[in-house]
Amino acid sequence: MATFLYRLGRLAFRRRHFVALIWVALLTLAGVGAASAPAAGNSSFSVPGTEAQKAFDLLEQRFPGMSADGATARVVFKAPTGEKMTGKDNRKAVRHAVAELRDGSEVVSVTDPYTAHAVSKDGTIAYASVKYEVSGMELKDSSRDALKAAAQDARDTGLTVEVGGDALNTTPETGSSEVIGLAVAAVVLVITFGSLLAAGFPLLTAVIGVGIGVSTITALASALDLGTTTSTLASMIGLAVGIDYALFIVSRYRSELAEGREREEAAGRAVGTAGSAVVFAGLTVVIALVGLSVVDIPMLTKMGVAAAGTVAVAVLIALTLIPALLGHAGRRIRPAGQKSRFLGGGRAAKRPGRPNMGTRWASFVVRRPVAVLLLGVIGLGAAAVPAASLELGLPDDGSQPVSTTQRRAYDLLSEGFGPGFNGPLMVVVDARDSAHPKAAFTRVGDEIKGLKDVVTVTPAAPNKAGDTATITVVPDSKPSSVSTEDLVHAIRGKGADVTAATGAKVLVTGSTAMNIDVSQKLNDALVPYLALVVGLAFLLLIVVFRSILVPLKAALGFLLSVLAALGAVVAVFQWGWLSGLMNVEQTGPVMSMMPIFMVGVVFGLAMDYEVFLVTRMREAYVHGEKPAQAVVTGFRHGARVVTAAAVIMIAVFSGFIGSSESMVKMIGFGLAVAVLFDAFVVRMAVVPAVLALLGRRAWWLPKWLDRALPNVDIEGEGLRTADDRRDADPDGQRELVRV
């Protein structure tokens, strides 16, 4: 591996014009493809295997044109103080708004509050329900604009008008967050390298990689039903790893220059050593992202595969375009320890021979491994305690900021009709195999009325064939509550009794039931996903480090950091700790996608830091250093770069905390905290402490397994010349360590 990549790095350095031209051509081709491809709407959302999805599919068959999974909106009207919605002027304004809404091109139906009995008991609040033929993710902007315009016209008459439902749901904008992340990354890179040019390479190549990846996704979006949301994860992860991988190779190149090597040789060695780590780190990220297919949610699978493709592009760019750019830069890229003329007049960055911060910290940890290990593990364990109270769910309008019309509509409906009115359940009764369909419909309604936490059960509404009916159930509790989830399970439990007695099948669906089913599906997939990702990465790291204990320690450390991060998320978003500081207006269940999303993203980044940091330790060890000294050597070369990479990632993810979307805010906070814990507690404290305690045992591998594993030579032993070995061991007293 190292020899092949060494040759590739030298080739890219020599043929730098040709390599740069290839990447520019690929970027141009992807851009042209994206520009000429048909515009893609939002991808359809389905969750195969869930009861809610089965019910949606059944409704599409038995109720043609009903658009069971179509977007919905509730336009909520409140009369001015002292007035009623039944007043003449208010009634006129509402019916005018209803007429406007019915003119929409994608509208299936609009209910009149006065004929549908949609006026509160006190007469102050009313609502009109709007049903669309496509899902909220596929709804055109023109339909949303028409909905907002109708609400505004009614508002102009003096009514309070708010709009809820999924019809107004849009993909959150993240462009400003990415700009903030890039700005922070630029500052950190300049500080790390002491050179504007060296700092610019990781940013430039990361942007090129993300440009190629996202443009390709855009070009294929219509054909593969990728939608506009698929590129979000790809751009975020692609930007993160693109900067990381380029950062490590540029840093290694400058270290090789500092050892007196010629520039082409330095580029080859940088790609042969740091590039080997990049390849394996990239593989762990790809495994984590492609593994999202285990969840069996098509949209999530597409996002994972698309992001994995962007990561693969980032790896290829780091291995080829970075050495090509280094060749173009020539002597303007200075050896490690020297600042550029612009920043430091070409002076050395510090006094020669003075240990850097990484060396001093690693020396301290090696001297006090037990204290550091206990402090790190106990601290992370304490942070993880709230995770034991984790409650999962999907956000609804009740979790929106109070500044949004969706949240205000949610509150008005709760005020006028009760909290459960915001999350009605749709019960579908399939009586095709029943001898008495009408009796089955009646029995289902009666069974549901006898359950607790039920406010309203509408009469069964059969289809034309009379073999299928829908029943609307309004719970007494809000959609995201545990009581509503218990009610869904209770209805399904009664459905089994009805099936046994009448032959009719009972299915529960609707947005609330779908959220519950998705949460359960994600929860059930977490352990298999974790086993797959960690298991495959464990095997991969055995090949990389030729050790059993080092990969095991890496996996356990990752689990500890993820649990601690989940604990922090629960404390802030579920318990409300520091909610004011984070601008969290509504606490509640943690987004059900959060644990599995954190596992996938954070695992990939954590293994990046593990590979880049520990490979330098292994490299020093196999070249003859004692285990404790190898830990210090690894930190001397890698700590500064890993720290810079982690700070960049924390900055990128923290930019999302300022989002008004609770889901985006939670993702940004969770990922930022996870990287903070993993990089600075696990990799910088727990890892060196464990390796110091294990000593040579850390690098133990059974002989039979050593013979069976391929020798990937990630530490670059094959690149060492006879002169290198004499320089490392001038007296010939030290033997190469065999592990």
Side-chain angles (χ1 to χ4, degrees):
M1 173 70 78
T3 304
F4 169 75
L5 293 178
Y6 165 78
R7 293 171 179 167
L8 178 63
R10 294 195 64 167
L11 178 64
F13 188 95
R14 289 196 305 270
R15 300 288 186 264
R16 46 188 173 272
H17 301 294
F18 179 68
V19 171
L21 184 61
I22 288 178
W23 282 111
V24 170
L26 289 174
L27 179 61
T28 303
L29 183 64
V32 171
S36 59
N42 292 291
S43 60
S44 56
F45 182 81
S46 63
V47 189
T50 61
E51 180 173 315
Q53 185 65 50
K54 292 176 183 177
F56 277 137
D57 296 340
L58 181 65
L59 288 172
E60 289 291 340
Q61 297 173 9
R62 306 287 175 84
F63 291 82
M66 181 180 179
S67 301
D69 60 347
T72 59
R74 277 177 172 172
V75 183
V76 188
F77 308 90
K78 184 175 182 179
T81 304
E83 297 184 19
K84 301 287 186 180
M85 287 305 305
T86 51
K88 181 179 178 182
D89 292 340
N90 293 337
R91 186 188 293 262
K92 180 180 179 181
V94 169
R95 285 189 163 156
H96 178 75
V98 169
E100 278 191 78
L101 291 168
R102 284 176 177 159
D103 290 337
S105 60
E106 296 179 300
V107 173
V108 174
S109 63
V110 181
T111 62
D112 186 324
Y114 303 103
T115 59
H117 307 291
V119 181
S120 63
K121 290 181 179 180
D122 63 4
T124 60
I125 298 174
Y127 70 91
S129 294
V130 186
K131 182 72 175 178
Y132 294 89
E133 62 187 16
V134 296
S135 68
M137 302 180 70
E138 300 172 290
L139 199 63
K140 295 178 181 178
D141 289 338
S142 58
S143 295
R144 292 192 179 95
D145 293 339
L147 177 61
K148 294 176 183 176
Q152 185 58 48
D153 289 344
R155 198 175 288 126
D156 292 340
T157 66
L159 295 174
T160 298
V161 185
E162 306 296 347
V163 182
D166 60 352
L168 290 183
N169 290 351
T170 57
T171 304
E173 297 292 334
T174 59
S176 60
S177 300
E178 293 176 1
V179 170
I180 293 172
L182 282 173
V184 174
V187 173
V188 173
L189 289 169
V190 170
I191 295 173
T192 302
F193 290 135
S195 166
L196 291 175
L197 187 61
F201 284 169
L203 291 174
L204 175 63
T205 55
V207 170
I208 291 174
V210 169
I212 293 174
V214 172
S215 296
T216 302
I217 292 170
T218 304
L220 299 175
S222 179
L224 302 181
D225 190 29
L226 298 179
T228 57
T229 59
T230 308
S231 61
T232 303
L233 180 63
S235 61
M236 182 170 64
I237 302 302
L239 186 64
V241 300
I243 295 175
D244 275 6
Y245 297 162
L247 170 64
F248 288 114
I249 290 181
V250 172
S251 177
R252 186 59 183 256
Y253 171 76
R254 297 178 74 233
S255 296
E256 296 292 337
L257 289 179
E259 293 181 11
R261 292 188 172 87
E262 294 295 327
R263 296 187 177 274
E264 183 178 330
E265 177 70 10
R269 285 179 176 252
V271 176
T273 51
S276 297
V278 164
V279 170
F280 283 97
L283 280 175
T284 61
V285 180
V286 169
I287 289 172
L289 292 171
V290 174
L292 289 171
S293 58
V294 171
V295 183
D296 194 25
I297 295 179
M299 185 181 71
L300 196 59
T301 299
K302 292 173 184 177
M303 290 174 68
V305 172
T310 306
V311 171
V313 171
V315 171
L316 293 174
I317 284 180
L319 299 179
T320 57
L321 184 56
I322 284 293
L325 292 177
L326 293 173
H328 281 291
R331 297 187 179 278
R332 286 172 290 180
I333 300 295
R334 296 180 174 274
Q338 290 186 13
K339 293 184 179 180
S340 67
R341 293 186 180 277
F342 178 76
L343 294 175
R347 300 189 307 271
K350 62 183 69 175
R351 294 194 303 271
R354 182 187 178 190
N356 61 19
M357 180 65 75
T359 302
R360 296 196 297 273
W361 168 251
S363 299
F364 170 78
V365 174
V366 167
R367 290 195 305 269
R368 300 285 188 273
V370 175
V372 172
L373 178 60
L374 289 177
L375 185 62
V377 172
I378 292 173
L380 290 175
V385 168
S389 303
L390 177 67
E391 295 178 6
L392 297 177
L394 287 178
D396 55 26
D397 286 347
S399 62
Q400 297 269 19
V402 293
S403 59
T404 63
T405 185
Q406 294 98 318
R407 172 62 185 276
R408 292 195 293 266
Y410 181 97
D411 292 340
L412 284 176
L413 287 172
S414 296
E415 176 188 340
F417 302 93
F421 200 79
N422 284 290
L425 306 174
M426 180 179 288
V427 178
V428 182
V429 185
D430 179 6
R432 178 166 288 185
D433 297 330
S434 175
H436 303 285
K438 291 184 178 180
F441 300 155
T442 302
R443 174 161 181 172
V444 171
D446 292 340
E447 292 280 0
I448 295 174
K449 289 177 183 177
L451 297 174
K452 65 177 183 178
D453 200 42
V454 173
V455 174
T456 305
V457 179
T458 64
N463 61 351
K464 290 183 179 179
D467 58 3
T468 307
T470 60
I471 299 173
T472 301
V473 180
V474 177
D476 188 39
S477 51
K478 63 182 183 179
S480 59
S481 69
V482 176
S483 298
T484 300
E485 183 176 350
D486 292 340
L487 176 60
V488 170
H489 294 315
I491 295 174
R492 288 171 175 172
K494 290 293 184 181
D497 298 335
V498 172
T499 301
T502 67
K505 298 177 183 177
V506 180
L507 304 172
V508 184
T509 188
S511 60
T512 300
M514 177 63 81
N515 287 352
I516 292 171
D517 287 352
V518 170
S519 297
Q520 187 62 48
K521 192 177 184 70
L522 288 166
N523 192 44
D524 293 343
L526 182 58
V527 173
Y529 174 70
L530 194 61
L532 173 69
V533 170
V534 176
L536 290 177
F538 180 77
L539 296 176
L540 187 64
L541 292 178
I542 289 178
V543 175
V544 173
F545 296 125
R546 306 194 75 80
S547 164
I548 297 293
L549 296 180
V550 170
L552 180 62
K553 172 265 307 168
L556 293 177
F558 156 73
L559 292 175
L560 191 58
S561 61
V562 167
L563 286 175
L566 280 176
V569 170
V570 170
V572 173
F573 292 90
Q574 188 174 309
W575 291 0
W577 292 7
L578 301 177
S579 57
L581 181 63
M582 297 294 171
N583 197 27
V584 178
E585 298 180 2
Q586 181 72 29
T587 59
V590 173
M591 184 182 64
S592 54
M593 196 180 294
M594 195 68 189
I596 204 163
F597 187 79
M598 283 182 64
V599 167
V601 176
V602 177
F603 181 80
L605 295 177
M607 292 305 103
D608 279 359
Y609 306 143
E610 177 77 13
V611 169
F612 289 122
L613 193 60
V614 179
T615 48
R616 293 304 295 259
M617 299 178 189
R618 174 177 167 77
E619 183 179 342
Y621 179 68
V622 299
H623 290 163
E625 292 187 4
K626 292 181 179 180
Q629 183 58 41
V631 171
V632 176
T633 300
F635 266 75
R636 182 172 70 248
H637 292 296
R640 181 182 178 89
V641 182
V642 169
T643 299
V647 170
I648 290 170
M649 291 306 97
I650 293 171
V652 170
F653 295 139
S654 295
F656 292 88
I657 297 177
S659 173
S660 61
E661 292 284 340
S662 61
M663 182 174 66
V664 176
K665 184 191 296 289
M666 188 182 297
I667 289 175
F669 175 80
L671 293 181
V673 170
V675 172
L676 176 68
F677 287 157
D678 195 87
F680 293 106
V681 180
V682 174
R683 308 304 152 190
M684 293 293 182
V686 174
V687 166
V690 171
L691 291 178
L693 289 172
L694 290 175
R696 295 183 183 275
R697 289 169 294 181
W699 308 106
W700 171 80
L701 187 70
K703 292 183 178 179
W704 64 268
L705 185 57
D706 188 29
R707 291 191 296 268
L709 292 176
N711 184 11
V712 296
D713 188 22
I714 196 170
E715 65 276 359
E717 175 57 28
L719 305 181
R720 287 168 61 83
T721 64
D723 290 338
D724 291 333
R725 295 187 176 94
R726 281 196 300 272
D727 292 341
D729 189 13
D731 299 325
Q733 299 296 317
R734 188 169 65 189
E735 295 182 0
L736 177 66
V737 177
R738 291 294 180 187
V739 293

PDB file of all heavy atoms in Angstrom, residues 431-453:
ATOM      1  N   ALA A 431     -62.042  -4.645   5.460  1.00  0.00           N
ATOM      2  CA  ALA A 431     -63.042  -5.690   5.711  1.00  0.00           C
ATOM      3  C   ALA A 431     -63.318  -6.544   4.484  1.00  0.00           C
ATOM      4  O   ALA A 431     -64.381  -7.170   4.388  1.00  0.00           O
ATOM      5  CB  ALA A 431     -64.334  -5.039   6.200  1.00  0.00           C
ATOM      6  N   ARG A 432     -62.398  -6.590   3.548  1.00  0.00           N
ATOM      7  CA  ARG A 432     -62.624  -7.365   2.328  1.00  0.00           C
ATOM      8  C   ARG A 432     -62.808  -8.847   2.640  1.00  0.00           C
ATOM      9  O   ARG A 432     -63.562  -9.548   1.960  1.00  0.00           O
ATOM     10  CB  ARG A 432     -61.460  -7.158   1.374  1.00  0.00           C
ATOM     11  CG  ARG A 432     -61.557  -7.962   0.094  1.00  0.00           C
ATOM     12  CD  ARG A 432     -60.569  -7.478  -0.960  1.00  0.00           C
ATOM     13  NE  ARG A 432     -60.966  -6.180  -1.530  1.00  0.00           N
ATOM     14  CZ  ARG A 432     -60.325  -5.585  -2.524  1.00  0.00           C
ATOM     15  NH1 ARG A 432     -59.239  -6.133  -3.055  1.00  0.00           N
ATOM     16  NH2 ARG A 432     -60.742  -4.421  -2.994  1.00  0.00           N
ATOM     17  N   ASP A 433     -62.133  -9.344   3.680  1.00  0.00           N
ATOM     18  CA  ASP A 433     -62.254 -10.760   4.034  1.00  0.00           C
ATOM     19  C   ASP A 433     -63.288 -10.998   5.127  1.00  0.00           C
ATOM     20  O   ASP A 433     -63.384 -12.104   5.678  1.00  0.00           O
ATOM     21  CB  ASP A 433     -60.894 -11.295   4.512  1.00  0.00           C
ATOM     22  CG  ASP A 433     -59.840 -11.248   3.413  1.00  0.00           C
ATOM     23  OD1 ASP A 433     -60.217 -11.357   2.240  1.00  0.00           O
ATOM     24  OD2 ASP A 433     -58.639 -11.081   3.734  1.00  0.00           O
ATOM     25  N   SER A 434     -64.054  -9.966   5.449  1.00  0.00           N
ATOM     26  CA  SER A 434     -65.060 -10.098   6.497  1.00  0.00           C
ATOM     27  C   SER A 434     -66.428 -10.391   5.892  1.00  0.00           C
ATOM     28  O   SER A 434     -66.795  -9.844   4.845  1.00  0.00           O
ATOM     29  CB  SER A 434     -65.130  -8.807   7.325  1.00  0.00           C
ATOM     30  OG  SER A 434     -66.163  -8.873   8.273  1.00  0.00           O
ATOM     31  N   ALA A 435     -67.199 -11.238   6.585  1.00  0.00           N
ATOM     32  CA  ALA A 435     -68.544 -11.573   6.098  1.00  0.00           C
ATOM     33  C   ALA A 435     -69.503 -10.411   6.293  1.00  0.00           C
ATOM     34  O   ALA A 435     -70.480 -10.263   5.545  1.00  0.00           O
ATOM     35  CB  ALA A 435     -69.060 -12.822   6.821  1.00  0.00           C
ATOM     36  N   HIS A 436     -69.255  -9.573   7.283  1.00  0.00           N
ATOM     37  CA  HIS A 436     -70.147  -8.452   7.577  1.00  0.00           C
ATOM     38  C   HIS A 436     -69.315  -7.181   7.760  1.00  0.00           C
ATOM     39  O   HIS A 436     -68.995  -6.793   8.896  1.00  0.00           O
ATOM     40  CB  HIS A 436     -70.976  -8.739   8.832  1.00  0.00           C
ATOM     41  CG  HIS A 436     -71.777 -10.003   8.747  1.00  0.00           C
ATOM     42  ND1 HIS A 436     -72.929 -10.116   7.983  1.00  0.00           N
ATOM     43  CD2 HIS A 436     -71.572 -11.227   9.320  1.00  0.00           C
ATOM     44  CE1 HIS A 436     -73.412 -11.342   8.096  1.00  0.00           C
ATOM     45  NE2 HIS A 436     -72.610 -12.033   8.901  1.00  0.00           N
ATOM     46  N   PRO A 437     -68.946  -6.526   6.665  1.00  0.00           N
ATOM     47  CA  PRO A 437     -68.078  -5.342   6.753  1.00  0.00           C
ATOM     48  C   PRO A 437     -68.630  -4.242   7.643  1.00  0.00           C
ATOM     49  O   PRO A 437     -67.907  -3.676   8.458  1.00  0.00           O
ATOM     50  CB  PRO A 437     -67.974  -4.877   5.297  1.00  0.00           C
ATOM     51  CG  PRO A 437     -68.224  -6.108   4.491  1.00  0.00           C
ATOM     52  CD  PRO A 437     -69.236  -6.883   5.270  1.00  0.00           C
ATOM     53  N   LYS A 438     -69.942  -3.920   7.502  1.00  0.00           N
ATOM     54  CA  LYS A 438     -70.502  -2.824   8.294  1.00  0.00           C
ATOM     55  C   LYS A 438     -70.416  -3.114   9.790  1.00  0.00           C
ATOM     56  O   LYS A 438     -70.126  -2.231  10.600  1.00  0.00           O
ATOM     57  CB  LYS A 438     -71.950  -2.568   7.889  1.00  0.00           C
ATOM     58  CG  LYS A 438     -72.097  -1.970   6.492  1.00  0.00           C
ATOM     59  CD  LYS A 438     -73.547  -1.640   6.180  1.00  0.00           C
ATOM     60  CE  LYS A 438     -73.680  -1.005   4.798  1.00  0.00           C
ATOM     61  NZ  LYS A 438     -75.107  -0.687   4.481  1.00  0.00           N
ATOM     62  N   ALA A 439     -70.674  -4.362  10.148  1.00  0.00           N
ATOM     63  CA  ALA A 439     -70.585  -4.737  11.562  1.00  0.00           C
ATOM     64  C   ALA A 439     -69.149  -4.615  12.062  1.00  0.00           C
ATOM     65  O   ALA A 439     -68.905  -4.208  13.204  1.00  0.00           O
ATOM     66  CB  ALA A 439     -71.098  -6.165  11.756  1.00  0.00           C
ATOM     67  N   ALA A 440     -68.194  -4.944  11.184  1.00  0.00           N
ATOM     68  CA  ALA A 440     -66.780  -4.827  11.561  1.00  0.00           C
ATOM     69  C   ALA A 440     -66.406  -3.363  11.774  1.00  0.00           C
ATOM     70  O   ALA A 440     -65.704  -3.021  12.735  1.00  0.00           O
ATOM     71  CB  ALA A 440     -65.900  -5.449  10.484  1.00  0.00           C
ATOM     72  N   PHE A 441     -66.910  -2.479  10.883  1.00  0.00           N
ATOM     73  CA  PHE A 441     -66.611  -1.054  11.031  1.00  0.00           C
ATOM     74  C   PHE A 441     -67.146  -0.532  12.371  1.00  0.00           C
ATOM     75  O   PHE A 441     -66.462   0.189  13.102  1.00  0.00           O
ATOM     76  CB  PHE A 441     -67.236  -0.244   9.893  1.00  0.00           C
ATOM     77  CG  PHE A 441     -66.764  -0.634   8.518  1.00  0.00           C
ATOM     78  CD1 PHE A 441     -67.559  -0.407   7.404  1.00  0.00           C
ATOM     79  CD2 PHE A 441     -65.524  -1.233   8.339  1.00  0.00           C
ATOM     80  CE1 PHE A 441     -67.126  -0.753   6.136  1.00  0.00           C
ATOM     81  CE2 PHE A 441     -65.082  -1.584   7.068  1.00  0.00           C
ATOM     82  CZ  PHE A 441     -65.885  -1.356   5.968  1.00  0.00           C
ATOM     83  N   THR A 442     -68.391  -0.919  12.675  1.00  0.00           N
ATOM     84  CA  THR A 442     -69.014  -0.463  13.923  1.00  0.00           C
ATOM     85  C   THR A 442     -68.262  -0.980  15.139  1.00  0.00           C
ATOM     86  O   THR A 442     -68.043  -0.253  16.117  1.00  0.00           O
ATOM     87  CB  THR A 442     -70.476  -0.923  13.981  1.00  0.00           C
ATOM     88  OG1 THR A 442     -71.186  -0.411  12.841  1.00  0.00           O
ATOM     89  CG2 THR A 442     -71.150  -0.430  15.251  1.00  0.00           C
ATOM     90  N   ARG A 443     -67.857  -2.242  15.083  1.00  0.00           N
ATOM     91  CA  ARG A 443     -67.157  -2.818  16.233  1.00  0.00           C
ATOM     92  C   ARG A 443     -65.823  -2.116  16.482  1.00  0.00           C
ATOM     93  O   ARG A 443     -65.455  -1.859  17.627  1.00  0.00           O
ATOM     94  CB  ARG A 443     -66.929  -4.313  16.012  1.00  0.00           C
ATOM     95  CG  ARG A 443     -66.083  -4.937  17.109  1.00  0.00           C
ATOM     96  CD  ARG A 443     -66.188  -6.411  17.190  1.00  0.00           C
ATOM     97  NE  ARG A 443     -65.365  -6.925  18.292  1.00  0.00           N
ATOM     98  CZ  ARG A 443     -65.383  -8.183  18.701  1.00  0.00           C
ATOM     99  NH1 ARG A 443     -66.183  -9.074  18.114  1.00  0.00           N
ATOM    100  NH2 ARG A 443     -64.609  -8.563  19.699  1.00  0.00           N
ATOM    101  N   VAL A 444     -65.101  -1.801  15.413  1.00  0.00           N
ATOM    102  CA  VAL A 444     -63.815  -1.114  15.574  1.00  0.00           C
ATOM    103  C   VAL A 444     -64.028   0.229  16.263  1.00  0.00           C
ATOM    104  O   VAL A 444     -63.306   0.599  17.199  1.00  0.00           O
ATOM    105  CB  VAL A 444     -63.116  -0.920  14.215  1.00  0.00           C
ATOM    106  CG1 VAL A 444     -61.894  -0.014  14.367  1.00  0.00           C
ATOM    107  CG2 VAL A 444     -62.704  -2.260  13.641  1.00  0.00           C
ATOM    108  N   GLY A 445     -65.047   0.984  15.799  1.00  0.00           N
ATOM    109  CA  GLY A 445     -65.326   2.273  16.422  1.00  0.00           C
ATOM    110  C   GLY A 445     -65.673   2.142  17.892  1.00  0.00           C
ATOM    111  O   GLY A 445     -65.207   2.925  18.737  1.00  0.00           O
ATOM    112  N   ASP A 446     -66.490   1.125  18.229  1.00  0.00           N
ATOM    113  CA  ASP A 446     -66.881   0.918  19.625  1.00  0.00           C
ATOM    114  C   ASP A 446     -65.688   0.520  20.486  1.00  0.00           C
ATOM    115  O   ASP A 446     -65.568   0.950  21.645  1.00  0.00           O
ATOM    116  CB  ASP A 446     -67.966  -0.163  19.707  1.00  0.00           C
ATOM    117  CG  ASP A 446     -69.278   0.296  19.078  1.00  0.00           C
ATOM    118  OD1 ASP A 446     -69.462   1.529  18.933  1.00  0.00           O
ATOM    119  OD2 ASP A 446     -70.102  -0.569  18.710  1.00  0.00           O
ATOM    120  N   GLU A 447     -64.812  -0.320  19.941  1.00  0.00           N
ATOM    121  CA  GLU A 447     -63.627  -0.749  20.699  1.00  0.00           C
ATOM    122  C   GLU A 447     -62.719   0.447  21.014  1.00  0.00           C
ATOM    123  O   GLU A 447     -62.185   0.570  22.118  1.00  0.00           O
ATOM    124  CB  GLU A 447     -62.846  -1.797  19.906  1.00  0.00           C
ATOM    125  CG  GLU A 447     -63.553  -3.140  19.743  1.00  0.00           C
ATOM    126  CD  GLU A 447     -63.413  -4.011  20.979  1.00  0.00           C
ATOM    127  OE1 GLU A 447     -62.781  -3.574  21.951  1.00  0.00           O
ATOM    128  OE2 GLU A 447     -63.949  -5.135  20.960  1.00  0.00           O
ATOM    129  N   ILE A 448     -62.554   1.334  20.037  1.00  0.00           N
ATOM    130  CA  ILE A 448     -61.673   2.491  20.234  1.00  0.00           C
ATOM    131  C   ILE A 448     -62.272   3.450  21.249  1.00  0.00           C
ATOM    132  O   ILE A 448     -61.560   4.025  22.080  1.00  0.00           O
ATOM    133  CB  ILE A 448     -61.407   3.194  18.889  1.00  0.00           C
ATOM    134  CG1 ILE A 448     -60.630   2.263  17.942  1.00  0.00           C
ATOM    135  CG2 ILE A 448     -60.616   4.486  19.109  1.00  0.00           C
ATOM    136  CD1 ILE A 448     -60.453   2.827  16.546  1.00  0.00           C
ATOM    137  N   LYS A 449     -63.597   3.625  21.218  1.00  0.00           N
ATOM    138  CA  LYS A 449     -64.248   4.536  22.169  1.00  0.00           C
ATOM    139  C   LYS A 449     -64.027   4.096  23.612  1.00  0.00           C
ATOM    140  O   LYS A 449     -64.042   4.922  24.525  1.00  0.00           O
ATOM    141  CB  LYS A 449     -65.744   4.610  21.879  1.00  0.00           C
ATOM    142  CG  LYS A 449     -66.086   5.365  20.605  1.00  0.00           C
ATOM    143  CD  LYS A 449     -67.591   5.332  20.337  1.00  0.00           C
ATOM    144  CE  LYS A 449     -67.922   6.038  19.015  1.00  0.00           C
ATOM    145  NZ  LYS A 449     -69.372   5.961  18.702  1.00  0.00           N
ATOM    146  N   GLY A 450     -63.820   2.806  23.822  1.00  0.00           N
ATOM    147  CA  GLY A 450     -63.625   2.298  25.169  1.00  0.00           C
ATOM    148  C   GLY A 450     -62.220   2.463  25.700  1.00  0.00           C
ATOM    149  O   GLY A 450     -61.959   2.143  26.868  1.00  0.00           O
ATOM    150  N   LEU A 451     -61.310   2.946  24.867  1.00  0.00           N
ATOM    151  CA  LEU A 451     -59.923   3.122  25.303  1.00  0.00           C
ATOM    152  C   LEU A 451     -59.759   4.456  26.014  1.00  0.00           C
ATOM    153  O   LEU A 451     -60.460   5.428  25.726  1.00  0.00           O
ATOM    154  CB  LEU A 451     -58.974   3.064  24.093  1.00  0.00           C
ATOM    155  CG  LEU A 451     -58.932   1.742  23.327  1.00  0.00           C
ATOM    156  CD1 LEU A 451     -58.070   1.893  22.081  1.00  0.00           C
ATOM    157  CD2 LEU A 451     -58.396   0.614  24.205  1.00  0.00           C
ATOM    158  N   LYS A 452     -58.794   4.512  26.923  1.00  0.00           N
ATOM    159  CA  LYS A 452     -58.523   5.775  27.599  1.00  0.00           C
ATOM    160  C   LYS A 452     -57.690   6.685  26.689  1.00  0.00           C
ATOM    161  O   LYS A 452     -57.077   6.223  25.726  1.00  0.00           O
ATOM    162  CB  LYS A 452     -57.805   5.542  28.919  1.00  0.00           C
ATOM    163  CG  LYS A 452     -56.408   4.951  28.795  1.00  0.00           C
ATOM    164  CD  LYS A 452     -55.770   4.837  30.173  1.00  0.00           C
ATOM    165  CE  LYS A 452     -54.327   4.301  30.061  1.00  0.00           C
ATOM    166  NZ  LYS A 452     -53.668   4.217  31.382  1.00  0.00           N
ATOM    167  N   ASP A 453     -57.681   7.952  26.995  1.00  0.00           N
ATOM    168  CA  ASP A 453     -56.946   8.973  26.244  1.00  0.00           C
ATOM    169  C   ASP A 453     -57.556   9.223  24.865  1.00  0.00           C
ATOM    170  O   ASP A 453     -56.880   9.664  23.945  1.00  0.00           O
ATOM    171  CB  ASP A 453     -55.462   8.586  26.095  1.00  0.00           C
ATOM    172  CG  ASP A 453     -54.583   9.793  25.783  1.00  0.00           C
ATOM    173  OD1 ASP A 453     -54.805  10.851  26.389  1.00  0.00           O
ATOM    174  OD2 ASP A 453     -53.686   9.685  24.924  1.00  0.00           O
TER     175      ASP A 453
END
